[in-house]
Amino acid sequence: MFRSAEIIAVGSELLLGQICNTNAQFLSKQLAELGINVYFHTVVGDNPERLTTAIHTAKERADLLIFTGGLGPTKDDLTKETIAKVLQKNLVMDENALVNIETYFRKTNRLMSENNKKQAIVLEGSNVLANDYGMAPGMALTEKKHTYILLPGPPKELQPMFVNYGREYILSKLGVKEQIVSKVLRFFGIGESQLETDIDDLIEEQTNPTIAPLAGDQEVTLRLTAKHHSEEEAKRLIAQTEKLILARVGEYFYGYDEDTIFSVLFDKIQQSKYTLSSAESLTGGLFSERMTTFTGASSVIEGSVVCYTNDIKENVLGVSKEILDQFGAVSEECARDMADCAKKLFQTDIGVSFTGVAGPGTMDGKPVGTVYIGLALPSGETTVHHIQLVGSRDGIRQRTVKYCCHLLLNELFKSS
């Protein structure tokens, strides 16, 4: 059983900021699904001395070391050479890999230079991982207490190689024929620290399933991972833990796995056979843009008005001049009338509205981050929600449309 893993990315281009290290993100997610903890991500330039130091350091704190990059044909591709030196292993030519490389050049009608043969050289005694989408093969090798996996740098090569071959090798080394099942719970409207506080005892007592919190993109997720000889029993263990979690923080829960808060709302409205329209001042059409990305959007979305100015609010949308004069565009009263007007204009079951101050300056005497969201509901009731946000102009707009989804989902589920 692996106690922990470390991912070591090799390449000076990563340190120079020329490319993002998306491989580490992908591999961490894959390893989490296998129940393997990743405690460190390391990035090393194309330098054998520094890579050697990184390897020795990683061996002290992890028993699974995964390397990405540095398997190419050029002189600065030095990952396997450095590892071979550290492990005192020979490098040998893999004939199958060489044939694959030669075949690739023939198919593309390109002349194969001599240095490309370097990509077919592997660590002696390693399991060679086929590269179905490129040339350089990967390698997997277990030496004493440590397992080393070498993967190419390009994500289009690395990802299928790991899923098809690297994952299988790791599972073979776990030593037990357990089923590993994962499920992601998605939350909005609660911060990571508050969610962890609310379920702190469950996290502290976790054994099987494990509970891994993650915050990002203004949301919080919990990954539940269970292991058992029976897949059904693993799923039962996850369901049991999920029930305990949702009993405490269920009001913020909206979906699973690859769900987004927009896809969940869209599906709910479509299943309810409702139609939707919007009036967007603050958000400038962002909400309707997100909601029209789904197949079948024309059966749900009737239309939207982007109404930045009071003139458009009044003369196109139909907002009362008296409301604009008395309360201003950034007000509860205006948000309510905007939602009602959108619902009436497009003759929909639901109308939503957005008005507020995204910045950089104040508006109508209201500070940056002031947001009003109006919801004209199928029941005939119209509610307005005032929230105060912080952050950049774009961040405020992005969070506003997500808050609308969260609020509307709560209203629709409450009535169903």
Side-chain angles (χ1 to χ4, degrees):
M1 176 66 72
F2 298 116
R3 293 165 300 166
S4 64
E6 180 159 345
I7 298 168
I8 302 174
V10 183
S12 297
E13 66 276 10
L14 291 163
L15 294 173
L16 294 170
Q18 294 171 343
I19 62 171
C20 295
N21 190 10
T22 57
N23 287 334
Q25 180 186 26
F26 169 80
L27 290 170
S28 289
K29 183 178 179 181
Q30 290 288 318
L31 293 171
E33 291 177 359
L34 296 176
I36 300 172
N37 296 315
V38 177
Y39 292 139
F40 295 94
H41 287 178
T42 298
V43 180
V44 188
D46 302 311
N47 180 283
E49 288 76 24
R50 286 192 284 273
L51 179 54
T52 298
T53 300
I55 293 169
H56 287 301
T57 301
K59 286 175 64 178
E60 292 296 319
R61 57 195 186 190
D63 40 24
L64 172 60
L65 281 63
I66 300 183
F67 299 82
T68 67
L71 303 182
T74 62
K75 290 182 179 179
D76 59 357
D77 290 309
L78 44 80
T79 300
K80 58 194 170 190
E81 289 83 358
T82 306
I83 294 173
K85 188 173 181 180
V86 170
L87 299 182
Q88 297 182 336
K89 287 280 181 182
N90 294 323
L91 290 168
V92 296
M93 181 68 69
D94 184 81
E95 294 302 326
N96 289 333
L98 181 59
V99 168
N100 288 340
I101 294 170
E102 291 171 341
T103 301
Y104 173 85
F105 277 95
R106 277 200 308 271
K107 285 182 177 179
T108 56
N109 292 317
R110 293 165 55 197
L111 181 65
M112 177 176 163
S113 58
E114 188 65 25
N115 66 344
N116 276 288
K117 291 183 179 180
K118 176 176 180 283
Q119 295 181 95
I121 294 175
V122 299
L123 291 164
E124 188 174 22
S126 65
N127 288 64
V128 178
L129 310 180
N131 191 336
D132 297 328
Y133 296 89
M135 288 186 283
M139 285 152 268
L141 177 70
T142 298
E143 278 285 301
K144 297 179 181 177
K145 297 180 180 179
H146 295 88
T147 292
Y148 306 82
I149 296 180
L150 288 67
L151 301 169
K156 67 181 180 64
E157 299 177 27
L158 176 145
Q159 293 183 14
M161 182 184 291
F162 183 83
V163 171
N164 295 331
Y165 308 112
R167 182 185 172 97
E168 182 181 345
Y169 183 85
I170 291 172
L171 286 172
S172 72
K173 294 301 175 183
L174 286 174
V176 289
K177 302 268 184 200
E178 289 181 322
Q179 298 289 326
I180 300 173
V181 178
S182 287
K183 191 177 193 178
V184 174
L185 310 184
R186 297 189 170 276
F187 301 84
F188 183 82
I190 184 172
E192 181 184 22
S193 59
Q194 185 59 55
L195 186 143
E196 286 195 37
T197 298
D198 290 346
I199 62 169
D200 182 63
D201 59 314
L202 300 179
I203 295 175
E204 287 296 319
E205 296 167 6
Q206 64 176 318
T207 52
N208 188 25
T210 58
I211 305 171
L214 176 67
D217 200 22
Q218 304 124 21
E219 300 182 12
V220 185
T221 63
L222 294 176
R223 179 180 293 278
L224 311 183
T225 302
K227 288 179 276 190
H228 199 273
H229 297 294
S230 163
E231 183 178 354
E232 288 304 311
E233 179 60 17
K235 289 179 178 178
R236 190 194 68 79
L237 290 169
I238 285 178
Q240 190 177 54
T241 301
E242 177 187 342
K243 185 176 180 181
L244 293 172
I245 292 170
L246 295 186
R248 303 187 190 184
V249 290
E251 64 184 294
Y252 304 104
F253 168 78
Y254 75 80
Y256 298 101
D257 299 320
E258 301 304 316
D259 286 340
T260 69
I261 200 163
F262 299 101
S263 67
V264 172
L265 176 62
F266 182 88
D267 290 344
K268 176 64 176 176
I269 294 174
Q270 190 175 52
Q271 290 162 11
S272 302
K273 297 188 178 350
Y274 290 143
T275 53
L276 174 69
S277 59
S278 60
E280 304 191 52
S281 180
L282 166 74
T283 50
L286 182 59
F287 177 77
S288 58
E289 189 275 329
R290 290 292 183 87
M291 293 299 290
T292 52
T293 59
F294 305 107
T295 302
S298 59
S299 67
V300 173
I301 312 299
E302 291 291 337
S304 175
V305 175
V306 177
C307 44
Y308 248 54
T309 67
N310 284 2
D311 179 61
I312 299 300
K313 288 182 178 70
E314 179 184 349
N315 296 310
V316 175
L317 185 60
V319 173
S320 163
K321 185 177 187 303
E322 288 74 21
I323 286 177
L324 292 169
D325 290 342
Q326 183 176 353
F327 301 103
V330 183
S331 66
E332 177 183 339
E333 292 78 7
C334 183
R336 183 184 304 277
D337 207 25
M338 286 172 64
D340 287 336
C341 286
K343 183 179 179 182
K344 180 180 178 182
L345 176 65
F346 293 104
Q347 298 184 335
T348 54
D349 300 299
I350 303 167
V352 302
S353 68
F354 306 89
T355 184
V357 187
T362 60
M363 181 178 176
D364 290 350
K366 305 288 181 21
V368 172
T370 301
V371 172
Y372 293 95
I373 299 172
L375 305 176
L377 302 167
S379 64
E381 179 187 10
T382 301
T383 62
V384 178
H385 302 264
H386 171 222
I387 53 178
Q388 192 68 42
L389 303 176
V390 295
S392 67
R393 178 180 175 83
D394 183 62
I396 289 170
R397 285 154 45 92
Q398 297 284 349
R399 289 176 66 194
T400 294
V401 295
K402 286 190 174 183
Y403 262 107
C404 176
C405 294
H406 171 66
L407 295 167
L408 190 49
L409 277 170
N410 285 346
E411 292 287 354
L412 294 177
F413 280 120
K414 185 171 65 178
S415 62
S416 61

